[in-house]
Amino acid sequence: FDAAATAEFVQRLLALPFLLMGVSHVVQPALWRRYFTDLGAGGRTAVITRSFLLELWPAAIIVAFHQVWSGWAVILTVYGHLLGAKVSLSLLVPSIGLRALEQAERGDAGFRAAGVVLIGLGLLCLALLAG
């Protein structure tokens, strides 16, 4: 088990999805708002769909394989742990997860902000790979 090689693999694996989803959030916030609004209309079970489809896989990959606690890479590690906590809380207390889905109705600014964060994570992955 080579921790550095494993961390590099995670960075390679997540750079493109982070960048693509981030840019999509920035340039198509109305699409994401509609997606989450429609999803949220499904009630508490929608939390399962959102958690498994969008959040669980990157959280699990980062928590399992990117345990880097120094330098800039720690940002990705902390993000993974926070996302894992969010997924856990949403699945264990669906009413909390549903509240997050309902925030979609507030407009596009939140999606653009999330997009900027995702773009930042993608760029961080690329910088760590180059570095």
Side-chain angles (χ1 to χ4, degrees), residues 58-110:
I61 290 168
I62 294 168
V63 169
F65 301 111
H66 196 277
Q67 293 303 300
V68 181
W69 296 100
S70 62
W72 289 102
V74 73
I75 295 170
L76 185 59
T77 302
V78 169
Y79 172 79
H81 283 270
L82 291 173
L83 189 59
K86 178 186 176 192
V87 168
S88 299
L89 186 60
S90 291
L91 292 174
L92 296 174
V93 187
S95 59
I96 292 174
L98 188 57
R99 271 187 279 180
L101 282 172
E102 292 169 349
Q103 290 179 6
E105 298 171 4
R106 294 187 182 166
D108 295 349

Side-chain angles (χ1 to χ4, degrees), residues 11-129:
Q11 295 156 10
R12 286 184 190 282
L13 182 67
L14 295 178
L16 181 60
F18 281 157
L19 288 169
L20 182 58
M21 285 184 64
V23 170
S24 177
H25 273 65
V26 170
V27 300
Q28 295 290 339
L31 178 67
W32 284 97
R33 181 173 26 87
R34 178 63 186 245
Y35 172 72
F36 279 105
T37 300
D38 289 351
L39 188 60
R44 292 167 45 128
T45 57
V47 173
I48 295 170
T49 303
R50 188 219 45 223
S51 297
F52 279 92
L53 200 64
L54 299 173
E55 298 170 339
L56 181 61
W57 68 271
I61 290 168
I62 294 168
V63 169
F65 301 111
H66 196 277
Q67 293 303 300
V68 181
W69 296 100
S70 62
W72 289 102
V74 73
I75 295 170
L76 185 59
T77 302
V78 169
Y79 172 79
H81 283 270
L82 291 173
L83 189 59
K86 178 186 176 192
V87 168
S88 299
L89 186 60
S90 291
L91 292 174
L92 296 174
V93 187
S95 59
I96 292 174
L98 188 57
R99 271 187 279 180
L101 282 172
E102 292 169 349
Q103 290 179 6
E105 298 171 4
R106 294 187 182 166
D108 295 349
F111 290 101
R112 286 194 176 102
V116 169
V117 169
L118 289 167
I119 291 168
L121 288 167
L123 293 174
L124 172 65
C125 288
L126 293 176
L128 291 169
L129 291 168

